[in-house]
Amino acid sequence: MRIGIGFDIHRLVEGKSLTLGGVKIPSTKGLLGHSDGDVLLHALCDALLGAVGAGDIGAYFPDTDPKWKGASSQLFIEKAAELASRKSLRVENVDAVILTEEPKLAPHRNAIQRSISQMLHVKDDRINVKAKTMEKLGPIGEGEAMACYVVVLLEKE
Ligand code: MG
């Protein structure tokens, strides 16, 4: 078995759309980023790459490369999943914590879990996504940013 951890944080700004786990979420604010800013998929990508022992997201998709401007972060997950499958590693489970004050993510939880399960070609009961507030503390608590931690377990086929 192989375990990986990923973390990411993006600024939350007015006038940007919000995509989490590949799902568009209605919100007055969205995530600033070179790609679509999907903080959950970026943390997931790093967790997968960590479990595979294949570096980090910046090594494959540098934010200095115009090719990835506005890119769907699903591409990053497909790449990381491909590296895992080349080593005959399959996803056992994924656990994620999104830190944000708003919007409330509970209504979108099932859709996000389903979306990630489809990207990774696993059943959706292997994906767990939680959301926590920061109790109004710090930049996340003040609604200026959203962060995410992801742990993934891979198993040799
Ligand atoms: Mg990122």
Side-chain angles (χ1 to χ4, degrees):
M1 283 191 267
R2 308 271 306 198
I3 194 165
I5 184 170
F7 170 79
D8 198 23
I9 184 165
H10 281 249
R11 283 181 192 273
L12 258 180
V13 294
E14 301 279 351
K16 286 275 288 177
S17 63
L18 178 62
T19 304
L20 286 174
V23 177
K24 281 239 189 279
I25 311 284
S27 171
T28 55
K29 289 180 174 178
L31 294 169
L32 198 63
H34 186 65
S35 64
D36 62 8
D38 193 323
V39 70
L40 171 54
L41 292 190
H42 294 181
L44 173 61
C45 182
D46 262 355
L48 287 164
L49 292 173
V52 171
D56 65 43
I57 190 169
Y60 299 90
F61 309 103
D63 62 9
T64 48
D65 188 338
K67 190 159 75 173
W68 308 116
K69 189 162 168 50
S72 164
S73 298
Q74 183 166 346
L75 295 172
F76 308 164
I77 299 303
E78 284 166 5
K79 175 68 182 176
E82 180 203 320
L83 290 169
S85 87
R86 259 195 243 159
K87 290 196 173 181
S88 304
L89 292 164
R90 62 166 185 80
V91 174
E92 178 63 28
N93 76 304
V94 169
D95 194 18
V97 189
I98 300 169
L99 304 176
T100 191
E101 217 61 24
E102 54 179 358
K104 290 282 169 246
L105 296 178
H108 308 289
R109 197 170 160 242
N110 288 343
I112 292 170
Q113 290 176 168
R114 205 173 316 118
S115 169
I116 292 173
S117 72
Q118 284 164 359
M119 284 179 212
L120 295 177
H121 308 289
V122 296
K123 286 173 121 180
D124 56 6
D125 65 358
R126 291 179 182 264
I127 312 295
N128 194 72
V129 175
K130 307 180 288 293
K132 302 285 284 184
T133 74
M134 289 290 285
E135 299 286 344
K136 307 219 182 299
L137 295 165
I140 295 172
E142 284 160 18
E144 291 170 14
M146 187 181 291
C148 184
Y149 293 94
V150 174
V151 171
V152 63
L153 188 70
L154 305 182
E155 202 164 21
K156 201 93 174 166
E157 284 178 307

